[in-house]
Amino acid sequence: MLPGFAVHVRGIELDEDYFKASSVGTLFQELLEEPLRAWQDERGEEAAEEHRVVCIDALDECDEAGQNSMLECMRSHFRKLPSWMGFYVTTRPAYPLKDRLRHFNPV
C-alpha cells in the first residue's frame, strides 16, 4: 500500500476511451512511472526505507495471438521504476517467462 499515491493519478480520466487510445507504454508511464516518481519525490528518503511488491498474476493470460504487451512493457519499462519497487509475477510453467525476462534475474 502506498498512502497518498492515488492523488498522483486522480487527474487522469480513466475511461474506456483513454485505455483504447493509449499504448501499454503510455499507460505504464502515466499510471505507474510518473505517479511513483512524484510519490517518491514527496517523501524523499522515507520512500526508499521499505521495499514494496506488486503481484502480477497469470501473466501468460495477457498473451493474445502470440503477443504479450504486458510482458513487453515489463521488458522495456520496468527498469525505470524506483529500486524499492519489486514485482512478483506468476505464470503457467510452460510459458517462456524466464527466458524473456532473464536480465531481471527471475527465479
Side-chain angles (χ1 to χ4, degrees), residues 83-107:
S83 60
W84 48 262
M85 178 64 64
F87 290 86
Y88 184 83
V89 180
T90 68
T91 186
R92 289 186 180 112
Y95 196 71
L97 179 67
K98 279 187 174 181
D99 185 52
R100 294 170 78 182
L101 293 177
R102 67 182 164 271
H103 58 271
F104 289 111
N105 301 317
V107 208

Side-chain angles (χ1 to χ4, degrees), residues 55-105:
C55 180
I56 300 174
D57 187 27
L59 181 65
D60 55 295
E61 293 183 20
C62 297
D63 202 300
E64 188 174 309
Q67 298 291 317
N68 190 320
S69 54
M70 182 64 179
L71 177 58
E72 292 310 313
C73 177
M74 291 170 69
R75 289 179 65 186
S76 302
H77 300 289
F78 275 29
R79 290 184 183 179
K80 300 173 188 174
L81 294 174
S83 60
W84 48 262
M85 178 64 64
F87 290 86
Y88 184 83
V89 180
T90 68
T91 186
R92 289 186 180 112
Y95 196 71
L97 179 67
K98 279 187 174 181
D99 185 52
R100 294 170 78 182
L101 293 177
R102 67 182 164 271
H103 58 271
F104 289 111
N105 301 317

